[in-house]
Amino acid sequence: MRRLIQLWCVCCLALMVSCKEDEYVYPSVLTEFVEAVTGPEGVLTELRSDDGTRFAVKYRDGLGGLTPDSLYRAVAVYQVSGETAEGTPEASIYSCQVVISWNPLPPKAFKNGIKTDPVDIQSMWRSGNYLNMILKAKVKDRAHSYHFVDEGISRDGEKRVLNLRLYHDRRGDYEAFEQRVYLSVPLSGYREQLTAGDCIRFTLQTYGEGETVREFAY
């Protein structure tokens, strides 16, 4: 409703100025899964895109309070705003949300068994050293638990297949409304086991399809 009111106000303003040209230019922003790096003070200092580009983060309030000298997987909304004095691309951050990005664990690490409560798939894709996904879980008021299960590497003809599974424990939550969940599987730990031409096979339980599998080139 608030969005509709805003749009209505904009339309009224356009009529009042009798077709006067709107000179405001909206910033060109990017929304991406990135690596977010903190400095020794726990302040976000750098973004690393999956294509290898590094951006110095333009300082503003609200970028601190994180673990010092750490790397986070995150979804960032940012604008490339110029360069630093050293010639490094600089980014102004509008928002930055931490993404669930645990290293996959073998089945035996899950002492209470592997939970596979369903989700819906909005999108899944491979980029850089990660397998990324935006899922939709049905939630009410309990915190759900997510992880990734490493079910080993198998053979499919000449190629090797990394078999992964989504762990999802809804902890008895009611299915009241949909919530987006951002997850990103780190793949850098498989560099010595997989090569170009191999495959990642990811299995998850969904509302519409039951158990389903998505495959991605390594």
Side-chain angles (χ1 to χ4, degrees), residues 1-7:
M1 177 63 72
R2 182 180 178 184
R3 178 62 177 165
L4 290 174
I5 292 172
Q6 290 174 338
L7 289 175

Side-chain angles (χ1 to χ4, degrees), residues 68-180:
D69 298 317
S70 297
L71 184 147
Y72 294 85
R73 188 63 170 166
V75 175
V77 179
Y78 67 96
Q79 178 189 14
V80 180
S81 53
E83 293 184 348
T84 65
E86 294 76 24
T88 303
E90 188 175 54
S92 297
I93 295 180
Y94 292 93
S95 70
C96 194
Q97 177 181 338
V98 174
V99 169
I100 298 168
S101 189
W102 307 115
N103 287 315
L105 297 176
K108 64 181 181 181
F110 298 88
K111 303 302 182 182
N112 296 319
I114 298 171
K115 307 293 185 180
T116 57
D117 290 322
V119 293
D120 280 325
I121 302 172
Q122 178 170 317
S123 59
M124 297 180 67
W125 71 99
R126 164 82 194 281
S127 62
N129 293 316
Y130 296 91
L131 175 62
N132 309 299
M133 60 197 78
I134 303 174
L135 307 178
K136 292 184 288 186
K138 294 182 180 180
V139 305
K140 186 181 180 184
D141 54 13
R142 296 190 182 181
H144 292 210
S145 179
Y146 299 88
H147 216 302
F148 309 112
V149 186
D150 181 343
E151 297 183 328
I153 294 177
S154 59
R155 284 277 183 178
D156 185 357
E158 295 298 317
K159 67 182 179 182
R160 284 164 289 193
V161 179
L162 172 62
N163 297 283
L164 300 174
R165 182 180 297 273
L166 177 69
Y167 176 101
H168 174 210
D169 183 2
R170 55 196 291 266
R171 298 180 176 179
D173 197 14
Y174 289 103
E175 297 180 344
F177 59 90
E178 282 190 343
Q179 180 184 71
R180 286 184 181 178

